[in-house]
Amino acid sequence: MKKVPFITLEKAREIRESIPTPFHIYDEAGIRANARALKQAFSWNPGFKEYFAVKATPNPYILKILHEEGCGCDCATYTELLLAEAVGITGHEIVFSSNVTPEQDMRKALEMGVYINLDDASYVDFLASLGPVPETVCLRYNPGGTFSLGNTIMDVPRYAKFGMSEEQMMGAVTRLMQLGTKHFGIHAFLASNTSTNEYYPTLAGQLFRLAVRLRNATGAHIAFVDLSGGVGVDYRPEQPRCDIRVIGEGVRAQYEEVLTPNGMGDVAIFTELGRFMLAPYGHLISTVIHEKHIYRDYIGLDACAANLMRPAMYGAYHHITVLGKENAPLDHVYDVTGGLCENNDKFAVERKLPEIQIGDIVAIHDTGAHGFSMGYNYNGKLRSAEVLLKEDGSFQRIRRAETPKDYFATFDFSEFHFGE
């Protein structure tokens, strides 16, 4: 399947006149359409809610768009809680899924009245030490062993630092009920960036059966099951694309097979998607500023791994389109690089692309999640601007680019003569 950018060369040039490259740009129309498709896929469950994983794209303008589409926030830190609160998202519109949790973070979550998802059984007493325990508490599950679909091992939970065993969950539920908690959620994240429609239904079946066992053993009311994230996107053109309608129906089948016959037809379904919600609706836009020909042909961009670290960190594939040359033959082979003093600062290695000249503008696809948010300042590189491409075709800068003043702001230069 051909990957088509949501921005044209003409629009990129227009934006570049006022916002220099590199910049991350997000497609409002695509984001809204995707959020509505997700909601429709789970409309069979009256309590369904998506809690967008803020870590994927922590920008208030993005959170506002998703909130308007009925989404809440999945937060993991004090700062993410503050960001959600600034947008007007609070209370049970937030799930706080944290680990190795500082007291400040937990106090803020309690103050905001969010759903708190406990990562460890010891956090029950930690929670109780801060005041009355909430009426509803969620517990994160780790089944141990491996997580498989058919004969394929998707991940190895026993190596993961997250969650608690079933025995620990039983003890945590019992203790929380003694402390006054009345309702419980169950949460698990067992595989990342899956490319199959079977992940959520398989996970849901496991968690639904766990919910029945917990209810039967403790008498606890299970209010919701949180499937977390893990639904992936088709980074490569040849990859299959997850079909959220099929996924939703697969979860529904498990629900009707496991929960409904056990008198648990009131359980709400939550999701905490990040990549699925945003990745395809973001591009990193960059200008070609250099070419080099030694043992390979290199194309140098004004962006680098500090703007998008996934290829350098994971060897991850991100499709690249040379804007204005979408239909040109892919008759050249390049390494596409940034300017960091690191050899892994490459967006593509031996990639077939059309002939590229200095000044061309490229769109690096699927950067809407875990793109800007994973940026850093190595080599003194500055984080880029973020831009929203609105539904009417206009654009808005939703984060300015960093300046050297930002980079140096946390230093105390009182003993030096910086800038003189």
Side-chain angles (χ1 to χ4, degrees):
M1 183 176 179
K2 185 176 181 180
K3 277 189 170 289
V4 179
F6 57 75
I7 185 172
T8 63
L9 175 60
E10 291 71 27
K11 178 60 70 173
R13 284 174 172 165
E14 178 189 350
I15 296 171
R16 192 174 62 173
E17 288 178 5
S18 57
I19 305 174
T21 56
F23 57 79
H24 285 270
I25 188 166
Y26 306 100
D27 175 22
E28 180 182 4
I31 293 168
R32 290 188 183 276
N34 191 49
R36 291 169 189 171
L38 171 67
K39 187 175 181 179
Q40 180 60 38
F42 285 89
S43 60
W44 54 267
N45 182 259
F48 172 76
K49 193 170 184 69
E50 156 64 9
Y51 291 83
F52 173 67
V54 173
K55 62 180 177 287
T57 319
N59 186 296
Y61 293 86
I62 298 298
L63 300 188
K64 181 175 182 290
I65 289 170
L66 291 170
H67 193 227
E68 289 171 354
E69 297 297 336
C71 301
C73 288
D74 158 37
C75 297
T77 64
Y78 179 81
T79 310
E80 289 182 353
L81 288 170
L82 291 178
L83 179 58
E85 187 178 45
V87 180
I89 304 171
T90 189
H92 284 176
E93 288 195 301
I94 295 176
V95 172
F96 180 61
S97 293
S98 177
N99 69 97
V100 193
T101 308
E103 182 176 324
Q104 174 186 244
D105 298 38
M106 192 69 83
R107 285 191 182 278
K108 183 62 178 176
L110 285 166
E111 172 198 317
M112 292 174 64
V114 310
Y115 286 129
I116 294 175
N117 181 28
L118 298 181
D119 181 67
D120 182 60
S122 69
Y123 282 163
V124 173
D125 289 333
F126 175 36
L127 197 62
S129 73
L130 302 179
V133 299
E135 190 171 274
T136 302
V137 175
C138 186
L139 303 174
R140 185 166 186 169
Y141 176 54
N142 183 328
T146 59
F147 179 80
S148 303
L149 291 177
N151 295 320
T152 302
I153 295 176
M154 305 296 291
D155 214 330
V156 187
R158 71 173 179 269
Y159 296 152
K161 70 173 184 174
F162 305 107
M164 30 183 134
S165 68
E166 182 171 341
E167 181 181 4
Q168 290 173 328
M169 290 184 76
M170 292 283 185
V173 168
T174 300
R175 174 68 174 141
L176 283 163
M177 291 175 70
Q178 292 170 349
L179 292 168
T181 299
K182 296 181 173 61
H183 312 288
F184 293 87
I186 297 173
H187 171 287
F189 179 86
L190 300 186
S192 178
N193 193 30
T194 60
S195 58
T196 169
N197 294 330
E198 297 304 314
Y199 170 61
Y200 257 6
T202 302
L203 173 63
Q206 287 194 17
L207 296 185
F208 294 163
R209 289 187 287 273
L210 173 63
V212 172
R213 294 194 299 273
L214 283 174
R215 191 277 312 268
N216 290 346
T218 66
H221 175 240
I222 309 300
F224 62 85
V225 169
D226 189 336
L227 302 177
S228 189
V231 178
V233 299
D234 51 331
Y235 285 104
R236 295 177 179 270
E238 67 272 16
Q239 271 186 269
R241 178 174 296 179
C242 290
D243 188 330
I244 199 63
R245 294 171 298 176
V246 173
I247 292 169
E249 283 303 305
V251 174
R252 180 178 186 169
Q254 291 290 331
Y255 192 101
E256 293 177 349
E257 178 181 329
V258 179
L259 291 180
T260 304
N262 279 283
M264 299 176 69
D266 63 335
V267 174
I269 303 298
F270 295 168
T271 57
E272 295 174 356
L273 295 164
R275 190 189 318 267
F276 178 82
M277 298 301 291
L278 256 295
Y281 311 106
H283 295 331
L284 174 57
I285 305 299
S286 183
T287 301
V288 176
I289 61 172
H290 185 71
E291 59 179 315
K292 180 177 182 177
H293 307 283
I294 45 173
Y295 309 107
R296 289 184 182 178
D297 292 331
Y298 294 91
I299 292 296
L301 305 182
D302 60 3
C304 65
N307 305 111
L308 177 67
M309 73 182 300
R310 293 188 74 254
M313 185 176 185
Y314 304 123
Y317 179 96
H318 280 265
H319 199 66
I320 296 175
T321 295
V322 185
L323 296 179
K325 299 181 180 180
E326 289 86 350
N327 298 314
L330 308 179
D331 53 5
H332 286 63
V333 177
Y334 299 108
D335 281 16
V336 181
T337 81
L340 291 183
C341 298
E342 295 291 339
N343 196 46
N344 68 350
D345 181 20
K346 296 177 180 178
F347 296 109
V349 175
E350 296 189 305
R351 182 77 58 87
K352 290 183 178 180
L353 291 163
E355 184 178 8
I356 297 176
Q357 285 87 31
I358 291 175
D360 281 346
I361 302 176
V362 303
I364 302 177
H365 290 247
D366 301 311
T367 68
H370 309 290
F372 180 96
S373 66
M374 294 178 73
Y376 54 102
N377 287 126
Y378 183 62
N379 263 173
K381 290 290 188 178
L382 304 174
R383 291 180 178 88
S384 67
E386 291 181 291
V387 179
L388 181 66
L389 182 61
K390 295 187 172 183
E391 290 181 291
D392 64 4
S394 64
F395 66 91
Q396 178 184 3
R397 189 184 69 178
I398 58 174
R399 187 195 299 259
R400 67 166 175 80
E402 287 182 335
T403 67
K405 185 177 180 180
D406 297 315
Y407 179 80
F408 293 121
T410 54
F411 289 119
D412 179 1
F413 279 104
S414 60
E415 298 183 24
F416 305 95
H417 301 287
F418 177 72
E420 296 184 7

